Each structure stands twice: as C-alpha cells, then as structure tokens.
Amino acid sequence: MSVINWIINNVLTQAGIIIGLIAMLGLILQKKGLGAVVIGTFKTILGFYVLSAGSAVLVTTLTYFGVMFQAAFHTTGIVPSIEAVNGYATNNLGLGGQIALAFLGIFIVNILLARFTPWKYIFLTGQALLWMSTMTVVFGHAAGLRGAWLILAASLVGGFFCVAMPALAQPIVRRITGNDAIALGHFCTIGYMVEAGVAWLVRKRNVDKQPSTEDLKLPRSLEFLQDTYMSLAVVMIPLFLVVAAVAGPEPVAEDVGTMNYMMYAFLQSIQFVVGVYVLMAGVRLLLGEIVPAFRGISMKLVPDSKPALDCPVLFPYAPNAVVIGFITTTIGTLIAMVALPAVGFAVIVPGMLTNFFAGGTAGIFGNTVGGRRGAIIGGVVHGLFITLLPALLVTTFMNLGFPNLSATDVDTITAGLLFAYIVRPIMNAL
C-alpha cells in the first residue's frame, strides 16, 4: 500500500507529470528522435505549469475576493469543499486506502473503456480523479459496500464518468474549438450541459448565427475594449473596488498591512488580469505540444482516442463568454443561496473559484449554443443548478449520519447521489 500511495501522491495526482509522460509516450510511439522527445515532453510540462501558475494567481485573487464578498453581503452558511470530504473520509472513516485503490481502478477502467468502446477519451485531470474516487468510495461505503466490492464499484462508476462526461460535452466542444483534437476533462460537465440546454431554449430563432459574446460592436472611442485583457480589466476593477468599499478594511486588514485597502483591492484586480494572461499563455503552449504528441497514442495504443483536458483549455476560444459566465453564475448562486433555504435546504455560500472556472466554461457553452442570450440567461440557471446539487448533498450527508459537508463539482456529486439513491436501496433489500 505504501508503494501505491507513493505513486499516487508523487505521480498520478501530479497532473503536469502525467501529461508530460503521456506526451513522451506519444512521441516515442511516433518514433521521434531523442531531441524531439525531450523537447516535446519538456514543453508540454512547461505549458502545463505556466497554466498552473496563472491558475494559482487567480486562486489567490479570487480567495481574497471571496472573503471580501462574504463580508460585504454577510453571507454565512456551508462552504462546499471536496477537500473537507476527503479529509473526513480519511481521518474519521479510515477510507484512505480504499480511496487510493479506487483512484488507480478508475484510471484503469478509463483506459479499458476508451480502448474497447466508442467513447475514446482519456481523462487527464488528475486531481479531479482523486475527488471522484473520494465521492464514490464514501457513498459506496455508506451504501453498505465493503472490501473489494467497494473498490470495484467505485472504479467502475468513476471510470464510466471519465469517458461519459467528455463524450457528453464533445459535440459542443467540437463547435467551440472548430476541430476534434481535444476533449473536456472536468467533472462539472452536467452543469455545462444544463447551461447549454437553457441556451438552446432561449436562443434567437430563424437566424443563421447566434449573436456571439465575442462579436460585440463598439463605438470607435471604445474599440480598445475589444482587447481581451482591457475588457477584463474594465469589468473586474470596478467589481473588486465596489465589493471592497462595501466590505470595509477589516476583513483583510492583516493581509493589507499599512496599504490603503482600496488600493490593495485595485492591485488584486490587476493581479486577476495577470493571472488570466499567464493562464492563456500556458494553454496555448500546452495545446501546441500535447495535441501532436497525443497522436502517437491515438494511433497505436488507444486508436482514435482524444486527451480530455482541464476546463481552462477552452478559455482562449471565447474570453468574453468566460467573464459573462463568471458574473451570471455568481448572480445565480446568490439567488439560490437566498431561495433554497426557503424550501428547506441548507444555505450554500457561493464559491468564487467554482464560479469563475466552472461558470466561465459554462458561459462558453451557453454562448456557443445560444449566443449572448444563452450565455447570460443560461449562466444564471447554471448558478442555481450548481448550488442546488451541493444543497441536496448536504441533506443526503446528514441523512447518512455525516456532519454538515458538501462538495462542488456536480459530476462527482451526481456519482455520489447515484450510490445514495440507487445502490443503497438495493443493498438494503438484499
């Protein structure tokens, strides 16, 4: 078990290393020379970590924004955290070993399904696999499964989601990217499809092309806003400043130090734009290397397979839709935070990280299917949906005797609820 844990902690959960090894394998299978293999592998890893560096900057600024937001609008309740679920399962339930084995099982089932079924997707977002193994093991255990049966069931369900979710999203991903080279490997896919469905319902009828968020016509004096980063700054700087002004200096006084808190908020908003800039650069570098390298795997090991990558790989295709998706999803989560407790659900505090990464990706889906109208209306519904599922999860957790816990990624929540509402009644009947 210690060897497996070492492999998981040092290799399989290190997404940059996995993607680098995948690229190296693909280049070797194409019989590239040593120099091409080394360069391709290194640049793939470099691209991933540039992307991660951008994400880290965004996480820092959005964490700050979340603290200020909660203070400004007095939002209190349960903050969904899959990390907390994992910690509870490991420390209180003693399921750490089963989660580790299920992680490996999910990866193996994914490869087998990609090799022998029409769903040719290899899920390469390592951390997401860990969260999926956590949820399937926790809820499988609560359903009454034990030992090898628990690991087998968690592996089969998790492996199924690894190919089914990219397959579900691929028709829209193909329209976003204009080709079939990559797939989406992010366990928020059901939420994206909810937004796409709403966008389809509210789209303009009898038009050849939906008005896109990326084709806004501006007066000459405002044409500078057609620059992605300028338009992002114009939206985010006022947003950060208004929230900081309402919250006051106290919530982040320790971090701000002697600096004026409004200036600190302004600098955080600039850091946000910097994070997006770095993230976009990493995405372009990564895609430039992983797609041609993956060709070797798709030709030799898993014919016609596609790499399923994390959601930021779609951001460069519709940056305006990312911003609109973030804002409208946040509005939806705020509405749900107020509305759901009125019908008996727990109060779920909006998570800014989820709202940005999942909301931004959902905005791209909404725009692709229903244009601006789809991105805006679909985004609000997406915010409602991604709050409803964590609220359902809290209720389910409490019915199973767990403390007030919840998670964010809707696909992992769905997998857990499958165990709670389908497997558990079957186990009880046996």
Side-chain angles (χ1 to χ4, degrees):
M1 183 59 72
S2 60
V3 174
I4 292 174
N5 280 330
W6 188 93
I7 293 173
I8 289 173
N9 292 329
N10 293 279
V11 181
L12 294 181
T13 53
Q14 304 303 315
I17 301 300
I18 289 181
I19 290 178
L21 291 173
I22 293 285
M24 182 172 68
L25 179 61
L27 293 167
I28 291 173
L29 289 172
Q30 293 179 69
K31 298 181 179 177
K32 299 287 186 182
L34 177 63
V37 171
V38 172
I39 291 172
T41 303
F42 176 74
K43 290 181 74 173
T44 299
I45 295 174
L46 184 65
F48 178 84
Y49 281 107
V50 171
L51 185 157
S52 297
S55 294
V57 174
L58 288 172
V59 167
T60 301
T61 59
L62 287 170
T63 300
Y64 157 82
F65 185 74
V67 171
M68 297 297 281
F69 191 89
Q70 289 185 36
F73 299 102
H74 308 291
T75 56
T76 56
I78 296 172
V79 179
S81 169
I82 185 67
E83 292 87 349
V85 177
N86 181 272
Y88 183 82
T90 302
N91 299 322
N92 297 74
L93 302 179
L95 294 175
Q98 288 90 331
I99 290 172
L101 290 172
F103 183 104
L104 281 179
I106 289 172
F107 194 74
I108 293 169
V109 172
N110 178 190
I111 299 296
L112 292 174
L113 289 175
R115 178 66 179 84
F116 296 109
T117 73
W119 290 347
K120 305 291 185 185
Y121 304 99
I122 298 179
F123 203 97
L124 295 179
T125 310
Q127 200 70 6
L129 295 179
L130 181 60
W131 304 145
M132 178 60 81
S133 65
T134 298
M135 292 294 282
T136 51
V137 166
V138 167
F139 278 90
H141 185 267
L145 294 167
R146 296 292 185 272
W149 289 110
L150 172 61
I151 295 164
L152 179 63
S155 301
L156 290 174
V157 172
F160 170 79
F161 271 81
C162 284
V163 293
M165 293 300 103
L168 183 65
Q170 193 60 13
I172 298 176
V173 171
R174 198 179 297 123
R175 289 174 59 182
I176 294 168
T177 61
N179 58 58
D180 212 19
I182 62 168
L184 181 60
H186 193 223
F187 282 138
C188 294
T189 302
I190 294 175
Y192 304 151
M193 299 310 293
V194 167
E195 168 141 359
V198 173
W200 184 83
L201 290 174
V202 302
R203 75 192 191 285
K204 282 192 171 183
R205 315 284 171 171
N206 304 317
V207 296
D208 293 333
K209 183 184 176 186
Q210 297 294 322
S212 171
T213 56
E214 313 308 305
D215 297 330
L216 293 171
K217 299 295 182 185
L218 298 172
R220 182 176 295 275
S221 59
L222 296 177
E223 282 183 348
F224 70 94
L225 291 177
Q226 290 179 342
D227 179 273
T228 297
Y229 304 105
M230 270 311 305
S231 61
L232 192 61
V234 166
V235 172
M236 301 310 295
I237 291 174
L239 191 62
F240 273 64
L241 289 177
V242 168
V243 170
V246 176
E250 288 79 11
V252 290
E254 190 174 329
D255 297 329
V256 172
T258 57
M259 183 183 292
N260 179 274
Y261 75 102
M262 292 299 290
M263 177 56 74
Y264 189 81
F266 173 75
L267 294 178
Q268 286 294 315
S269 67
I270 297 296
Q271 284 291 312
F272 181 90
V273 181
V274 170
V276 174
Y277 183 90
V278 175
L279 182 144
M280 296 288 194
V283 168
R284 294 187 181 97
L285 182 57
L286 175 65
L287 291 182
E289 298 299 327
I290 189 67
V291 172
F294 200 82
R295 193 175 300 127
I297 292 175
S298 66
M299 287 190 302
K300 300 289 178 59
L301 293 184
V302 185
D304 302 321
S305 61
K306 300 173 184 60
L309 303 169
D310 205 352
C311 63
V313 297
L314 299 182
F315 287 5
Y317 294 98
N320 292 342
V322 173
V323 177
I324 291 173
F326 169 47
I327 293 173
T328 55
T329 293
T330 300
I331 292 171
T333 55
L334 287 172
I335 295 172
M337 185 186 73
V338 176
L340 290 179
V343 290
F345 288 104
V347 178
I348 302 297
V349 176
M352 290 303 155
L353 289 175
T354 301
N355 287 356
F356 179 73
F357 287 102
T361 309
I364 299 173
F365 274 61
N367 178 59
T368 302
V369 174
R372 297 168 202 160
R373 189 183 294 179
I376 294 170
I377 300 174
V380 175
V381 176
H382 176 254
L384 292 168
F385 180 74
I386 66 171
T387 309
L388 172 63
L389 278 192
L392 276 173
L393 191 66
V394 172
T395 305
T396 307
F397 263 133
M398 294 182 71
N399 289 338
L400 294 174
F402 289 90
N404 281 348
L405 291 172
S406 194
T408 51
D409 295 359
V410 295
D411 299 349
T412 61
I413 295 175
T414 303
L417 294 178
L418 283 177
F419 277 98
Y421 293 124
I422 297 178
V423 177
R424 190 165 186 247
I426 293 174
M427 293 296 294
N428 289 339
L430 293 177

